[in-house]
Amino acid sequence: MSEQQQSEMYVAREKIHPREVKGPFQHLRNLAVVVLLGIYYGLPWLQWDDRQAVLFDLPSRQFHLFALTFWPQDFVYLALLLIVAALSLFFFTALAGRLWCGYACPQTVWTEAFIWMERLTEGNRQKRLRLDKAPWTRKKILRRGGKHLLWIVFALFTGFTFVGYFTPILELGQGVMQLSLGFWEWFWLLFYSVATWGNAGFLREQVCIYMCPYARFQSAMFDRNTLIISYDEERGEPRGGRARKADPKAQGLGDCIDCNLCVQACPTGIDIREGLQYECIACAACIDACNGVMDKMNYPRGLIRYSTENAIAGKPARVLRPRVVVYAVLLLAVLAGMGYSISQRVPLSIEVLADRNVVYREVDWATIENVFTVRILNKDRIAHDYALRVDGLEGIEAFVQDDRIRVGAGSTDSVVVRVQVPRDKIDGPGQPFQLRLESLQDPDVHVTNTARFNGPRD
Amino acid sequence: MASLSNGQDERKRRLLQRYGTTVWPSFLVAAVASVVFFGNIDPETLQVQTLPEWNISRLGGYTIGFFMFWGVGLASSILCLILQKMGNRPT
Ligand code: SF4
Ligand code: SF4
């Protein structure tokens, strides 16, 4: 890319102060902001039984999600969850364009929240623009200072909440009060606060324009039936100012009165009338702004509206396209699989490790013995006693120190198991056999692992 | 849209663009990599096996791991940026 092209791509602009607009889409967006932030800030405070309902307990490597507890052994669910997230993003993007960007992306949501605080302290768009240019008077210092104070407190609370997903938030709160948090907790609290403050307070739309990978590759999921925000050029052009009572047809004008409100409302500072641009985060602020103007002019609404390329070209719009169906089917399949396997999950897992030093031992002339360590993970929320059984080789027998293997709720334990097989039943090393562990309290709780028995070659 | 007003804006834009193509993507990749890596590997066992004389908590282990991933990604992104710049020189 030449220098010149670069400078064309990255056109200089002053800080964008989006104009506040009112309208159904902005109500929806505000609602999304309130709901999403409410969930974010509220969730860690929720208790379930006697612990935090949602807690990624990193120090003990468990993840609590309401009644469920996941362990590192359940990593597959995390992987599936990432796949589900990616597929949903594909699905919704194909269907409705950048819904995510406009309504749900944390970048947008926190930016909105920060703009509210800005509006509260520095006033509306005109006031803010004037304040930017004003000399540093007492009033400016107060307003600016107030804004930053609000931002910083909010950012710190955001960082605190973030760490609260990883350390029990009540303890965390006490730790903060008594200044007794561990180093790493402080570190993440401040790191996340600074990131929030920087991204939502300063970088804002520049994250979307310069940094976000999704913004760059979302167009690959678009097709001619994807919902986009568009300006009806046919109807709007030629644009131009006019008196409210004037008949635009007589003046040879389209419906766009060139008031520039759509540009002022745009949080990324683009002019939607120039066509769909990758900077557009589909926030629909321009729609609301323009509809307001259309109402005032007594023109029909929808000069800027949600539409599709096909609809604009006057072709029939289709919702169910192959790619949408494919994404949907994949998504449902993964979700169903995940739900099923979670419901079938047994709260027990074992790992069978052979003794590394001694491959096999001859107990007497007729019997060969292998020693295994069985690591038992009781993922349940009650203690269990387990019985161990071996199977799969003729005459195989297992001996454990205690007949009852008791493992407490949510803990691990290792038992040494001596497995014996008659010599004449062995042919060669690496014979597979099954080791089965079953709870005495609940016969549904059982697992079977395959291990290998080693003996001499004849 | 505003036109190129002065050199300062231009520099700020460049800076942002560089930030956007290095720091940010490597951050995202590091986040995913940490989840995948530490989902499977316990930093405590790593520490016990490799640096037994150090005393690093699990949380510390995750943090160090995350920043290591980020650092590696960042280094690669920066190299990319430099190489790509040189590739633009007319030959
Ligand atoms: S462009 Fe990226 S950062 Fe911006 S709103 Fe969309 S997903 Fe979020
Ligand atoms: S062009 Fe309209 S929908 Fe797109 S970002 Fe700007 S205001 Fe939002």
Side-chain angles (χ1 to χ4, degrees), chain A residues 395-407:
Chain A
I396 192 167
E397 265 189 291
F399 301 93
V400 194
Q401 197 101 32
D402 299 307
D403 275 346
R404 275 181 164 243
I405 306 167
R406 188 176 181 80
V407 184

Side-chain angles (χ1 to χ4, degrees), chain A residues 10-11 59 61 188 206 211, chain B residues 2 13 16 19 38 58 63:
Chain A
Y10 302 102
V11 179
R61 292 177 70 69
W188 280 111
Q206 310 183 78
M211 296 152 119
Chain B
R13 188 162 53 251
L16 259 175
Y19 184 78
F38 289 120
R58 274 207 179 115
T63 313

Side-chain angles (χ1 to χ4, degrees), chain A residues 1 3 6-7 10-14 58-61 72 75 78 82 166-167 184-185 187-188 191 199 203 206-207 210-213 269-270 274 277 279, chain B residues 1-5 9-10 13-14 16-17 19-21 24 27-28 32 35-36 38-43 57-60 62-64 66-67 70 88:
Chain A
M1 202 185 293
E3 292 290 297
Q6 273 201 3
S7 33
Y10 302 102
V11 179
R13 56 164 69 110
E14 296 177 348
L58 290 184
S60 52
R61 292 177 70 69
F75 180 77
L78 191 65
L82 290 178
F166 302 97
T167 329
W184 296 113
E185 272 106 359
F187 173 83
W188 280 111
F191 183 84
N199 275 5
L203 291 174
Q206 310 183 78
V207 171
Y210 300 114
M211 296 152 119
C212 179
I270 57 170
E274 287 168 10
Q277 296 143 70
E279 288 94 336
Chain B
M1 270 192 213
S3 60
L4 288 182
S5 47
D9 269 359
E10 175 70 25
R13 188 162 53 251
R14 286 270 164 75
L16 259 175
Q17 185 211 352
Y19 184 78
T21 45
W24 192 244
F27 168 83
L28 295 176
V32 176
V35 170
V36 172
F38 289 120
N40 291 294
I41 287 164
D42 181 355
S57 69
R58 274 207 179 115
L59 209 53
Y62 296 127
T63 313
I64 293 167
F66 168 71
F67 279 95
W70 196 356
N88 282 332

